[in-house]
Amino acid sequence: MNDELSGKVALVTGSSRGIGRGIALELAAAGCDLMLTGRDTAALEAVAAEIRSLGRRASVHAADLTASTDADLTASTEPAVLAAALDKAFGRLDILINNAGAVRRSNFFETSDAEWQDGFALKFFAHVKLARLLWPKLKASGGSVIAISGIGARAPVPDYMIGASVIGASLAFMKALAQIGKRDGVQVNTVNPGSVDTDRFRHRLTRIMAKTGLEQEAAIEHHRRELDITRFGTVEDVAGLVRFVVSPRGRWIHGSALDIDGGQVGPLRMSVYD
Ligand SMILES: NC(=O)c1ccc[n+]([C@@H]2O[C@H](COP(=O)([O-])OP(=O)(O)OC[C@H]3O[C@@H](n4cnc5c(N)ncnc54)[C@H](OP(=O)(O)O)[C@@H]3O)[C@@H](O)[C@H]2O)c1
């Protein structure tokens, strides 16, 4: 089972760090060659070196995917330039992981239109554009596309309103795309992580420690209880699920939105008066 994706080419957006990096390494371990993208060239090159040390090919294309605001996919837009780089490096695509995203928490009444637009520009429109642009390649290979979305739309809260709205739009888009996928032989799914131990989590932990005076392990336990989850996720938890979904054994999973969150999305509150 170690090289079940041997000979496949995967593009992972936001693969310079965090969950995207973890997915890229996991897919390489499963036999994939990788196209890596993000803005930080040095970080991307470091991931590429790790992938090459596993005996796989890796190519790097640094790009700011929010920079592409054109309605049309002209050759000069970032997704189109990325697609051309992919074509030049590998000439095919089997797996597209739309992972890049960075939506800040904010107070609704203090949030500017620009912040709303920014939230959608990367985690929604860049995903839509890449899926549309690379669809012919995915169709040719009988490939797979996954959006790394989030649980924010399952139970939206006011201070993560942009994120929840972006995720809601993404879930609808991916569900509709899955209908086209059935016709064209492309597998389409969404993975919704809960709270994963990445850089952002470590920043939050620092704030919790400062606020509560707790040591690191105690602060993690304090926060785990607050969120009522079994434990915090790891990048490997999410990457392992992605690997399974795109592997032959996961192929029947289609049009699904898979929560992987240690139970963070809770039960509905029921009336006690019935
Ligand atoms: N971590 C969690 O707990 C969690 C939970 C639910 C959902 N998610 C979702 O999972 C995905 C990955 O999250 P993460 O925690 O791994 O995030 P992260 O550590 O902040 O990494 C984000 C990735 O996106 C890239 N990126 C950011 N802005 C970009 C831009 N303008 N253009 C191109 N690439 C850009 C970053 O690369 P550069 O810095 O090199 O540009 C980086 O590789 C996101 O979509 C996030 O919303 C995460």
Short mmCIF file of all heavy atoms in Angstrom, two decimals, residues 12-21 23 37-41 43-44 62-67 98-103 118 122-123 126-127 147-152 160 167 191-201 204 233 235 238 260, ligand 1:
data_model
loop_
_atom_site.label_atom_id
_atom_site.label_comp_id
_atom_site.label_asym_id
_atom_site.label_seq_id
_atom_site.Cartn_x
_atom_site.Cartn_y
_atom_site.Cartn_z
N VAL A 12 -0.75 20.71 -4.97
CA VAL A 12 -1.29 21.10 -3.66
C VAL A 12 -1.05 22.58 -3.48
O VAL A 12 0.10 23.04 -3.44
CB VAL A 12 -0.60 20.32 -2.51
CG1 VAL A 12 -1.23 20.70 -1.17
CG2 VAL A 12 -0.68 18.81 -2.74
N THR A 13 -2.13 23.37 -3.38
CA THR A 13 -1.95 24.81 -3.15
C THR A 13 -1.71 25.03 -1.65
O THR A 13 -2.20 24.27 -0.81
CB THR A 13 -3.16 25.64 -3.63
OG1 THR A 13 -4.28 25.39 -2.78
CG2 THR A 13 -3.51 25.33 -5.07
N GLY A 14 -0.94 26.07 -1.33
CA GLY A 14 -0.61 26.34 0.07
C GLY A 14 0.22 25.21 0.65
O GLY A 14 0.01 24.79 1.79
N SER A 15 1.22 24.74 -0.12
CA SER A 15 2.01 23.58 0.33
C SER A 15 3.35 23.98 0.93
O SER A 15 4.21 23.15 1.14
CB SER A 15 2.19 22.58 -0.81
OG SER A 15 2.45 23.23 -2.03
N SER A 16 3.53 25.27 1.23
CA SER A 16 4.79 25.70 1.84
C SER A 16 4.84 25.38 3.33
O SER A 16 5.91 25.30 3.92
CB SER A 16 4.99 27.20 1.63
OG SER A 16 3.89 27.92 2.15
N ARG A 17 3.67 25.20 3.96
CA ARG A 17 3.64 24.90 5.40
C ARG A 17 2.28 24.33 5.79
O ARG A 17 1.38 24.20 4.95
CB ARG A 17 3.94 26.16 6.22
CG ARG A 17 3.01 27.32 5.93
CD ARG A 17 3.61 28.63 6.47
NE ARG A 17 2.98 29.77 5.83
CZ ARG A 17 1.90 30.38 6.29
NH1 ARG A 17 1.31 29.97 7.38
NH2 ARG A 17 1.39 31.43 5.65
N GLY A 18 2.17 23.99 7.07
CA GLY A 18 0.89 23.58 7.63
C GLY A 18 0.29 22.34 6.96
O GLY A 18 1.00 21.41 6.59
N ILE A 19 -1.02 22.36 6.83
CA ILE A 19 -1.76 21.20 6.33
C ILE A 19 -1.35 20.88 4.88
O ILE A 19 -1.17 19.70 4.52
CB ILE A 19 -3.28 21.47 6.43
CG1 ILE A 19 -3.70 21.52 7.91
CG2 ILE A 19 -4.08 20.42 5.68
CD1 ILE A 19 -5.13 21.99 8.15
N GLY A 20 -1.16 21.90 4.05
CA GLY A 20 -0.80 21.68 2.65
C GLY A 20 0.55 20.98 2.52
O GLY A 20 0.71 20.05 1.72
N ARG A 21 1.50 21.41 3.33
CA ARG A 21 2.82 20.75 3.33
C ARG A 21 2.67 19.28 3.72
O ARG A 21 3.25 18.38 3.10
CB ARG A 21 3.76 21.48 4.29
CG ARG A 21 5.09 20.78 4.52
CD ARG A 21 5.98 21.56 5.50
NE ARG A 21 7.17 20.79 5.83
CZ ARG A 21 7.22 19.89 6.80
NH1 ARG A 21 6.14 19.65 7.55
NH2 ARG A 21 8.33 19.22 7.03
N ILE A 23 0.05 17.37 3.45
CA ILE A 23 -0.61 16.60 2.38
C ILE A 23 0.39 16.30 1.26
O ILE A 23 0.44 15.17 0.75
CB ILE A 23 -1.82 17.38 1.83
CG1 ILE A 23 -2.92 17.49 2.89
CG2 ILE A 23 -2.37 16.72 0.56
CD1 ILE A 23 -4.07 18.42 2.53
N THR A 37 2.91 24.98 -4.48
CA THR A 37 2.71 26.42 -4.69
C THR A 37 2.30 27.12 -3.40
O THR A 37 1.66 26.52 -2.53
CB THR A 37 1.70 26.69 -5.83
OG1 THR A 37 1.67 28.10 -6.09
CG2 THR A 37 0.30 26.21 -5.47
N GLY A 38 2.70 28.36 -3.30
CA GLY A 38 2.46 29.24 -2.16
C GLY A 38 3.25 30.51 -2.48
O GLY A 38 3.72 30.64 -3.61
N ARG A 39 3.41 31.41 -1.52
CA ARG A 39 4.17 32.62 -1.85
C ARG A 39 5.64 32.54 -1.42
O ARG A 39 6.48 33.24 -1.95
CB ARG A 39 3.52 33.84 -1.19
CG ARG A 39 2.17 34.21 -1.75
CD ARG A 39 1.41 35.09 -0.80
NE ARG A 39 1.29 34.44 0.49
CZ ARG A 39 0.76 34.98 1.58
NH1 ARG A 39 0.28 36.20 1.53
NH2 ARG A 39 0.70 34.31 2.71
N ASP A 40 5.93 31.70 -0.44
CA ASP A 40 7.26 31.66 0.17
C ASP A 40 8.17 30.66 -0.57
O ASP A 40 8.13 29.45 -0.31
CB ASP A 40 7.07 31.25 1.64
CG ASP A 40 8.35 31.27 2.43
OD1 ASP A 40 9.45 31.20 1.82
OD2 ASP A 40 8.29 31.33 3.67
N THR A 41 8.97 31.18 -1.49
CA THR A 41 9.79 30.32 -2.34
C THR A 41 10.74 29.43 -1.52
O THR A 41 10.87 28.24 -1.80
CB THR A 41 10.62 31.18 -3.32
OG1 THR A 41 9.73 32.06 -4.00
CG2 THR A 41 11.35 30.32 -4.32
N ALA A 43 10.50 28.35 1.56
CA ALA A 43 9.78 27.28 2.26
C ALA A 43 9.34 26.20 1.27
O ALA A 43 9.41 25.00 1.56
CB ALA A 43 8.56 27.85 2.99
N LEU A 44 8.89 26.62 0.08
CA LEU A 44 8.47 25.65 -0.94
C LEU A 44 9.65 24.80 -1.39
O LEU A 44 9.52 23.58 -1.56
CB LEU A 44 7.87 26.39 -2.15
CG LEU A 44 6.52 27.07 -1.92
CD1 LEU A 44 6.19 28.02 -3.08
CD2 LEU A 44 5.40 26.04 -1.77
N ALA A 62 6.07 29.69 -7.16
CA ALA A 62 5.64 30.66 -6.16
C ALA A 62 4.65 31.63 -6.78
O ALA A 62 4.89 32.17 -7.86
CB ALA A 62 6.84 31.40 -5.60
N ALA A 63 3.52 31.83 -6.10
CA ALA A 63 2.50 32.74 -6.64
C ALA A 63 1.58 33.20 -5.52
O ALA A 63 1.30 32.46 -4.58
CB ALA A 63 1.68 32.03 -7.71
N ASP A 64 1.09 34.46 -5.64
CA ASP A 64 0.03 34.93 -4.75
C ASP A 64 -1.29 34.70 -5.47
O ASP A 64 -1.62 35.40 -6.42
CB ASP A 64 0.25 36.42 -4.44
CG ASP A 64 -0.82 36.94 -3.48
OD1 ASP A 64 -1.84 36.25 -3.27
OD2 ASP A 64 -0.63 38.05 -2.94
N LEU A 65 -2.04 33.73 -5.03
CA LEU A 65 -3.27 33.37 -5.75
C LEU A 65 -4.38 34.39 -5.57
O LEU A 65 -5.34 34.39 -6.33
CB LEU A 65 -3.74 31.97 -5.33
CG LEU A 65 -2.83 30.82 -5.79
CD1 LEU A 65 -3.29 29.49 -5.20
CD2 LEU A 65 -2.77 30.73 -7.31
N THR A 66 -4.26 35.28 -4.58
CA THR A 66 -5.28 36.33 -4.44
C THR A 66 -5.07 37.43 -5.48
O THR A 66 -5.96 38.26 -5.68
CB THR A 66 -5.26 37.00 -3.05
OG1 THR A 66 -3.98 37.56 -2.85
CG2 THR A 66 -5.61 36.04 -1.97
N ALA A 67 -3.91 37.42 -6.11
CA ALA A 67 -3.60 38.49 -7.06
C ALA A 67 -4.46 38.40 -8.31
O ALA A 67 -4.52 39.33 -9.10
CB ALA A 67 -2.12 38.42 -7.45
N ASN A 98 -7.04 21.79 -3.42
CA ASN A 98 -7.25 23.22 -3.21
C ASN A 98 -7.24 23.48 -1.70
O ASN A 98 -8.27 23.33 -1.03
CB ASN A 98 -8.61 23.63 -3.81
CG ASN A 98 -8.47 24.16 -5.22
OD1 ASN A 98 -7.46 24.79 -5.58
ND2 ASN A 98 -9.48 23.91 -6.04
N ASN A 99 -6.07 23.85 -1.21
CA ASN A 99 -5.89 23.97 0.24
C ASN A 99 -5.62 25.40 0.70
O ASN A 99 -5.98 25.77 1.81
CB ASN A 99 -4.71 23.07 0.66
CG ASN A 99 -4.18 23.39 2.04
OD1 ASN A 99 -4.80 23.05 3.05
ND2 ASN A 99 -3.05 24.08 2.11
N ALA A 100 -5.00 26.23 -0.16
CA ALA A 100 -4.56 27.56 0.28
C ALA A 100 -5.75 28.35 0.83
O ALA A 100 -6.81 28.43 0.23
CB ALA A 100 -3.93 28.32 -0.88
N GLY A 101 -5.54 28.91 2.00
CA GLY A 101 -6.61 29.70 2.60
C GLY A 101 -6.09 30.39 3.85
O GLY A 101 -5.22 29.86 4.53
N ALA A 102 -6.58 31.57 4.10
CA ALA A 102 -6.19 32.30 5.30
C ALA A 102 -7.28 33.31 5.58
O ALA A 102 -7.28 34.40 5.02
CB ALA A 102 -4.85 32.99 5.07
N VAL A 103 -8.25 32.93 6.40
CA VAL A 103 -9.34 33.85 6.72
C VAL A 103 -9.24 34.23 8.20
O VAL A 103 -9.22 33.36 9.07
CB VAL A 103 -10.73 33.22 6.43
CG1 VAL A 103 -11.84 34.23 6.69
CG2 VAL A 103 -10.80 32.71 4.99
N ASP A 118 -11.14 39.78 0.40
CA ASP A 118 -9.89 39.03 0.55
C ASP A 118 -10.16 37.59 0.96
O ASP A 118 -9.53 36.66 0.47
CB ASP A 118 -9.05 39.74 1.64
CG ASP A 118 -7.60 39.62 1.35
OD1 ASP A 118 -7.22 39.82 0.19
OD2 ASP A 118 -6.84 39.30 2.29
N LEU A 122 -9.04 34.17 -1.97
CA LEU A 122 -8.12 33.03 -1.90
C LEU A 122 -8.85 31.70 -1.70
O LEU A 122 -8.72 30.77 -2.49
CB LEU A 122 -7.11 33.24 -0.77
CG LEU A 122 -6.05 32.16 -0.60
CD1 LEU A 122 -5.19 32.05 -1.86
CD2 LEU A 122 -5.18 32.43 0.62
N LYS A 123 -9.66 31.63 -0.65
CA LYS A 123 -10.22 30.33 -0.25
C LYS A 123 -11.46 29.94 -1.04
O LYS A 123 -11.92 28.80 -0.95
CB LYS A 123 -10.52 30.36 1.26
CG LYS A 123 -10.60 28.99 1.91
CD LYS A 123 -10.72 29.10 3.41
CE LYS A 123 -11.30 27.88 4.04
NZ LYS A 123 -10.47 26.71 4.01
N ALA A 126 -9.93 31.46 -5.86
CA ALA A 126 -8.73 30.78 -6.38
C ALA A 126 -9.02 29.29 -6.55
O ALA A 126 -8.58 28.67 -7.52
CB ALA A 126 -7.54 31.01 -5.45
N HIS A 127 -9.81 28.72 -5.62
CA HIS A 127 -10.17 27.30 -5.72
C HIS A 127 -11.04 27.05 -6.95
O HIS A 127 -10.84 26.10 -7.70
CB HIS A 127 -10.91 26.85 -4.46
CG HIS A 127 -10.06 26.82 -3.22
ND1 HIS A 127 -10.41 26.10 -2.09
CD2 HIS A 127 -8.87 27.42 -2.92
CE1 HIS A 127 -9.48 26.26 -1.16
NE2 HIS A 127 -8.55 27.07 -1.63
N ALA A 147 -11.19 19.91 -1.88
CA ALA A 147 -11.04 21.23 -1.25
C ALA A 147 -10.83 21.01 0.24
O ALA A 147 -11.58 20.25 0.87
CB ALA A 147 -12.30 22.07 -1.48
N ILE A 148 -9.80 21.64 0.79
CA ILE A 148 -9.62 21.64 2.25
C ILE A 148 -10.39 22.85 2.74
O ILE A 148 -9.97 24.00 2.56
CB ILE A 148 -8.13 21.71 2.64
CG1 ILE A 148 -7.33 20.58 1.96
CG2 ILE A 148 -8.00 21.66 4.16
CD1 ILE A 148 -7.78 19.17 2.29
N SER A 149 -11.53 22.61 3.34
CA SER A 149 -12.43 23.71 3.67
C SER A 149 -12.41 23.99 5.17
O SER A 149 -11.52 24.68 5.66
CB SER A 149 -13.82 23.35 3.14
OG SER A 149 -14.54 24.51 2.90
N GLY A 150 -13.32 23.43 5.95
CA GLY A 150 -13.33 23.67 7.40
C GLY A 150 -14.71 23.39 7.96
O GLY A 150 -15.67 23.22 7.21
N ILE A 151 -14.81 23.37 9.31
CA ILE A 151 -16.10 23.06 9.92
C ILE A 151 -16.91 24.33 10.20
O ILE A 151 -18.01 24.26 10.75
CB ILE A 151 -15.93 22.25 11.23
CG1 ILE A 151 -15.00 22.99 12.20
CG2 ILE A 151 -15.45 20.85 10.95
CD1 ILE A 151 -14.94 22.37 13.60
N GLY A 152 -16.34 25.50 9.83
CA GLY A 152 -16.95 26.78 10.18
C GLY A 152 -18.38 26.97 9.71
O GLY A 152 -19.13 27.74 10.31
N TYR A 160 -16.30 34.38 13.37
CA TYR A 160 -15.67 33.72 12.21
C TYR A 160 -16.66 33.74 11.05
O TYR A 160 -16.85 32.78 10.33
CB TYR A 160 -15.27 32.28 12.57
CG TYR A 160 -14.35 31.63 11.56
CD1 TYR A 160 -13.13 32.21 11.20
CD2 TYR A 160 -14.71 30.44 10.94
CE1 TYR A 160 -12.30 31.62 10.26
CE2 TYR A 160 -13.88 29.84 9.99
CZ TYR A 160 -12.68 30.44 9.67
OH TYR A 160 -11.85 29.85 8.73
N ILE A 167 -16.62 29.10 3.57
CA ILE A 167 -16.73 27.63 3.61
C ILE A 167 -18.11 27.18 3.11
O ILE A 167 -18.22 26.22 2.34
CB ILE A 167 -16.47 27.11 5.04
CG1 ILE A 167 -14.98 27.29 5.39
CG2 ILE A 167 -16.87 25.64 5.17
CD1 ILE A 167 -14.66 27.11 6.87
N VAL A 191 -12.82 18.15 2.39
CA VAL A 191 -12.40 17.71 3.72
C VAL A 191 -12.46 18.92 4.65
O VAL A 191 -11.92 19.98 4.33
CB VAL A 191 -10.97 17.10 3.67
CG1 VAL A 191 -10.39 16.95 5.07
CG2 VAL A 191 -10.98 15.76 2.94
N ASN A 192 -13.16 18.75 5.76
CA ASN A 192 -13.35 19.84 6.72
C ASN A 192 -12.58 19.57 8.01
O ASN A 192 -13.09 18.87 8.90
CB ASN A 192 -14.84 19.98 7.08
CG ASN A 192 -15.69 20.42 5.90
OD1 ASN A 192 -15.26 21.22 5.09
ND2 ASN A 192 -16.89 19.88 5.82
N PRO A 193 -11.38 20.14 8.15
CA PRO A 193 -10.66 19.94 9.41
C PRO A 193 -11.27 20.78 10.53
O PRO A 193 -11.82 21.86 10.30
CB PRO A 193 -9.24 20.43 9.11
CG PRO A 193 -9.19 20.68 7.63
CD PRO A 193 -10.59 20.93 7.19
N GLY A 194 -11.14 20.27 11.76
CA GLY A 194 -11.45 21.07 12.95
C GLY A 194 -10.20 21.81 13.38
O GLY A 194 -9.54 22.45 12.56
N SER A 195 -9.84 21.72 14.67
CA SER A 195 -8.68 22.46 15.17
C SER A 195 -7.42 21.62 15.04
O SER A 195 -7.25 20.64 15.77
CB SER A 195 -8.90 22.84 16.63
OG SER A 195 -9.94 23.77 16.71
N VAL A 196 -6.56 22.04 14.12
CA VAL A 196 -5.35 21.27 13.81
C VAL A 196 -4.13 22.01 14.37
O VAL A 196 -4.07 23.24 14.35
CB VAL A 196 -5.21 21.10 12.28
CG1 VAL A 196 -3.97 20.29 11.94
CG2 VAL A 196 -6.46 20.44 11.70
N ASP A 197 -3.18 21.23 14.88
CA ASP A 197 -1.97 21.80 15.48
C ASP A 197 -1.03 22.31 14.38
O ASP A 197 -0.17 21.59 13.88
CB ASP A 197 -1.27 20.73 16.34
CG ASP A 197 -0.12 21.30 17.14
OD1 ASP A 197 0.28 22.46 16.88
OD2 ASP A 197 0.40 20.59 18.02
N THR A 198 -1.27 23.57 13.98
CA THR A 198 -0.40 24.24 12.99
C THR A 198 0.12 25.53 13.64
O THR A 198 -0.12 25.78 14.82
CB THR A 198 -1.19 24.58 11.70
OG1 THR A 198 -2.33 25.36 12.07
CG2 THR A 198 -1.65 23.33 10.97
N ASP A 199 0.78 26.36 12.85
CA ASP A 199 1.33 27.62 13.38
C ASP A 199 0.26 28.44 14.08
O ASP A 199 0.49 29.02 15.15
CB ASP A 199 1.92 28.47 12.24
CG ASP A 199 3.17 27.84 11.66
OD1 ASP A 199 3.64 26.85 12.24
OD2 ASP A 199 3.63 28.33 10.61
N ARG A 200 -0.92 28.51 13.42
CA ARG A 200 -2.00 29.33 13.98
C ARG A 200 -2.40 28.84 15.37
O ARG A 200 -2.67 29.61 16.27
CB ARG A 200 -3.20 29.29 13.02
CG ARG A 200 -3.96 30.59 12.98
CD ARG A 200 -5.13 30.56 12.03
NE ARG A 200 -4.93 29.74 10.85
CZ ARG A 200 -5.94 29.24 10.13
NH1 ARG A 200 -7.17 29.48 10.47
NH2 ARG A 200 -5.70 28.51 9.05
N PHE A 201 -2.46 27.51 15.52
CA PHE A 201 -2.83 26.91 16.80
C PHE A 201 -1.79 27.28 17.86
O PHE A 201 -2.13 27.61 19.01
CB PHE A 201 -2.92 25.38 16.65
CG PHE A 201 -3.08 24.64 17.95
CD1 PHE A 201 -4.31 24.61 18.58
CD2 PHE A 201 -2.01 23.99 18.54
CE1 PHE A 201 -4.47 23.93 19.79
CE2 PHE A 201 -2.16 23.31 19.73
CZ PHE A 201 -3.39 23.29 20.36
N ARG A 204 -2.31 30.75 19.03
CA ARG A 204 -3.48 30.81 19.92
C ARG A 204 -3.10 30.29 21.31
O ARG A 204 -3.48 30.84 22.33
CB ARG A 204 -4.62 29.96 19.33
CG ARG A 204 -5.98 30.23 19.98
CD ARG A 204 -7.01 29.20 19.55
NE ARG A 204 -7.08 29.02 18.12
CZ ARG A 204 -7.53 27.91 17.53
NH1 ARG A 204 -7.94 26.90 18.24
NH2 ARG A 204 -7.58 27.81 16.22
N GLY A 233 -6.23 17.96 16.33
CA GLY A 233 -5.79 17.20 15.17
C GLY A 233 -4.34 17.48 14.83
O GLY A 233 -3.76 18.49 15.26
N VAL A 235 -1.51 17.56 11.45
CA VAL A 235 -1.44 17.67 9.99
C VAL A 235 -1.52 16.28 9.37
O VAL A 235 -2.17 16.07 8.34
CB VAL A 235 -0.10 18.39 9.65
CG1 VAL A 235 0.30 18.14 8.22
CG2 VAL A 235 -0.21 19.88 9.95
N VAL A 238 -5.11 14.88 8.87
CA VAL A 238 -5.79 15.41 7.69
C VAL A 238 -5.17 14.82 6.42
O VAL A 238 -5.88 14.37 5.50
CB VAL A 238 -5.73 16.95 7.65
CG1 VAL A 238 -6.47 17.49 6.43
CG2 VAL A 238 -6.31 17.54 8.93
N ILE A 260 -13.35 16.18 9.88
CA ILE A 260 -12.32 15.46 10.67
C ILE A 260 -11.93 16.43 11.78
O ILE A 260 -11.14 17.35 11.58
CB ILE A 260 -11.15 14.99 9.78
CG1 ILE A 260 -10.05 14.33 10.61
CG2 ILE A 260 -10.59 16.09 8.87
CD1 ILE A 260 -9.02 13.55 9.81
N1 LIG B 1 -5.26 24.75 10.84
C1 LIG B 1 -6.51 24.52 11.13
O1 LIG B 1 -6.87 24.26 12.30
C2 LIG B 1 -7.56 24.55 10.05
C3 LIG B 1 -8.88 24.24 10.40
C4 LIG B 1 -9.86 24.26 9.42
C5 LIG B 1 -9.52 24.58 8.11
N2 LIG B 1 -8.23 24.89 7.80
C6 LIG B 1 -7.94 25.22 6.38
O2 LIG B 1 -6.90 24.41 5.93
C7 LIG B 1 -6.11 25.16 4.98
C8 LIG B 1 -4.66 25.16 5.43
O3 LIG B 1 -4.61 25.71 6.74
P1 LIG B 1 -3.25 25.82 7.57
O4 LIG B 1 -3.61 25.91 8.99
O5 LIG B 1 -2.29 24.80 7.12
O6 LIG B 1 -2.78 27.26 7.10
P2 LIG B 1 -1.35 27.96 7.14
O7 LIG B 1 -0.41 27.21 7.99
O8 LIG B 1 -1.64 29.38 7.41
O9 LIG B 1 -0.89 27.78 5.61
C9 LIG B 1 -1.61 28.40 4.59
C10 LIG B 1 -0.98 28.06 3.26
O10 LIG B 1 -1.64 28.85 2.26
C11 LIG B 1 -0.66 29.61 1.57
N3 LIG B 1 -1.16 30.94 1.25
C12 LIG B 1 -1.62 31.88 2.12
N4 LIG B 1 -1.95 33.00 1.45
C13 LIG B 1 -1.69 32.76 0.14
C14 LIG B 1 -1.82 33.52 -1.04
N5 LIG B 1 -2.28 34.78 -1.01
N6 LIG B 1 -1.47 32.97 -2.23
C15 LIG B 1 -0.99 31.71 -2.28
N7 LIG B 1 -0.85 30.92 -1.19
C16 LIG B 1 -1.18 31.45 0.00
C17 LIG B 1 0.51 29.70 2.52
O11 LIG B 1 1.72 29.82 1.79
P3 LIG B 1 2.66 31.13 1.82
O12 LIG B 1 2.70 31.64 3.20
O13 LIG B 1 3.95 30.57 1.30
O14 LIG B 1 2.00 32.04 0.87
C18 LIG B 1 0.48 28.37 3.24
O15 LIG B 1 1.18 27.40 2.50
C19 LIG B 1 -6.73 26.55 4.91
O16 LIG B 1 -7.60 26.64 3.81
C20 LIG B 1 -7.48 26.66 6.21
O17 LIG B 1 -8.57 27.55 6.13
C21 LIG B 1 -7.25 24.89 8.73
#
